[in-house]
Amino acid sequence: MEDAKRIAGARERIFASAKLLVLTGAGISAESGVPTFRGSGGLWKNFRAEDLATPEAFERDPALVWEWYGWRREVLGGLSPNPAHFALADMERRGRGFTLVTQNVDGLHALAGSVNILELHGNIWRTRCPGCGVVALERELDLSSLPYCGCGALLRPDIVWFGEALPEDILRGALMALDSADVMLVVGTSAVVEPAASMALRARASGAYVIEVNPEETPLTGAVDLSIRGMAGELLSRLL
Ligand code: BJW
Ligand code: ZN
């Protein structure tokens, strides 16, 4: 099928849907300048996310892990949402059944104006105290030395690392939305990190029509109803 036909088909489904669910990954922020995890530029000082985004890495070398987050905060601080983020925020404002689930921690969906965002993997702008449990939004965090909580414990980023459970209420909300969605749009994820990777399959099994938007093939490509090859910024503006 040619691209124009796929896009027209997807548009028709999306606009006829009563409950649209959108799952986004790092690819939706790529056109804003955010490096993806598994694309070129995804390495920092030759470390992969899998090397640094674990509780064991933080325990072993918190300064290294905080240095990585400091670098990413600096990169992200100067970036803005792109047309794909804005298209989703517009879609939400139309007021029909719409749920946005993201794996991204960059906060760009909120900056674009999206309100109800289920952040599966946390948010890079928040810290969490493993000692007393306090979660705080700290856009300006002094990382010239390791950050400590008032209770004396070392703060960590409020992010879900490998081997850690996703926030229960957020995961529950996403799973409920999956089970009742009639159309699901999956944008910019390599679909290798669980449990997000399986969400499209779950939605499809419970009856949703699943559309993937990605410039590359992914493990989902053969399993969805419609796969559109292309960049999120351009495609979402045309689709939504
Ligand atoms: C574009 C584009 C453009 C480019 N437009 N697109 C079952 C089986 C096997 C393993 C597991 C399992 N269940 C759990 C696990 C373990 C683990 C896991 O999945 N491991 C796999 C690697 C195998 N999962 C977990 O540990 C999760 N916890 C959990 O399940 O708890 C219970 C449990 C634990 C242990 C065992 C069993 C159960 C937690 C996962 C947390 C992931 N956190 C990270 C890092 C956060 C660090 C940080 O950000 O600071 O979250 S990993 C990293 O990957 C980040 C992302 O959210 C996540 C997903 O990546 P994403 O978004 O897909 O990005 P990329 O880079 O991979 O892909 C970008 C895509 O965009 C590409 O496809 C491009 O083509 C595309 N693209 N330009 C559109 N312009
Ligand atoms: Zn504390």
Side-chain angles (χ1 to χ4, degrees):
M1 210 195 303
E2 57 188 274
D3 274 1
K5 277 208 184 122
R6 283 174 190 269
I7 293 170
R11 264 186 72 87
E12 219 166 276
R13 290 283 180 170
I14 289 168
F15 282 90
S17 94
K19 285 191 175 169
L20 174 65
L21 172 70
V22 182
L23 172 68
T24 64
I28 198 171
S29 296
E31 288 152 86
S32 292
V34 182
T36 58
F37 291 94
R38 292 162 191 87
S40 62
L43 293 183
W44 173 78
K45 294 190 174 178
N46 272 335
F47 293 104
R48 302 168 307 146
E50 284 80 353
D51 301 325
L52 298 170
T54 68
E56 293 77 22
F58 189 65
E59 208 162 291
R60 196 168 50 236
D61 194 345
L64 176 73
V65 174
W66 265 120
E67 195 194 336
W68 179 47
Y69 282 100
W71 170 76
R72 289 176 57 201
R73 279 169 156 260
E74 231 164 76
V75 171
L76 283 173
L79 302 180
S80 314
N82 68 58
H85 298 104
F86 288 117
L88 292 177
D90 279 349
M91 200 70 193
E92 180 176 0
R93 277 193 291 271
R94 278 179 214 177
R96 287 155 61 238
F98 177 86
T99 305
L100 176 58
V101 178
T102 189
Q103 298 170 80
N104 298 347
V105 301
D106 57 29
L108 289 176
H109 282 303
L111 268 185
S114 288
V115 179
N116 290 314
I117 311 164
L118 296 172
E119 292 179 320
L120 295 176
H121 295 162
N123 189 298
I124 197 167
W125 302 109
R126 292 193 305 254
T127 56
R128 177 164 21 115
C129 174
C132 66
V134 162
V135 172
L137 180 65
E138 300 206 53
R139 274 196 91 97
E140 311 293 330
L141 184 64
D142 179 6
L143 288 172
S144 55
S145 57
L146 282 174
Y148 284 89
C149 177
C151 80
L154 177 62
L155 291 170
R156 58 167 282 175
D158 188 26
I159 281 189
V160 181
W161 287 328
F162 284 110
E164 294 185 323
L166 276 62
E168 215 176 293
D169 48 336
I170 290 176
L171 183 60
R172 195 178 320 114
L175 295 179
M176 273 169 53
L178 282 179
D179 291 340
S180 65
D182 52 12
V183 177
M184 177 173 182
L185 186 58
V186 183
V187 186
T189 176
S190 60
V192 295
V193 175
E194 297 291 354
S198 302
M199 286 185 171
L201 304 178
R202 175 166 169 154
R204 194 153 187 261
S206 58
Y209 183 88
V210 180
I211 305 165
E212 176 185 56
V213 171
N214 199 308
E216 310 274 341
E217 282 198 9
T218 75
L220 284 181
T221 304
V224 298
D225 295 287
L226 186 63
S227 189
I228 309 178
R229 294 278 80 76
M231 310 283 258
E234 190 219 325
L235 276 174
L236 289 206
S237 322
R238 285 172 72 188
L239 276 177
L240 305 178

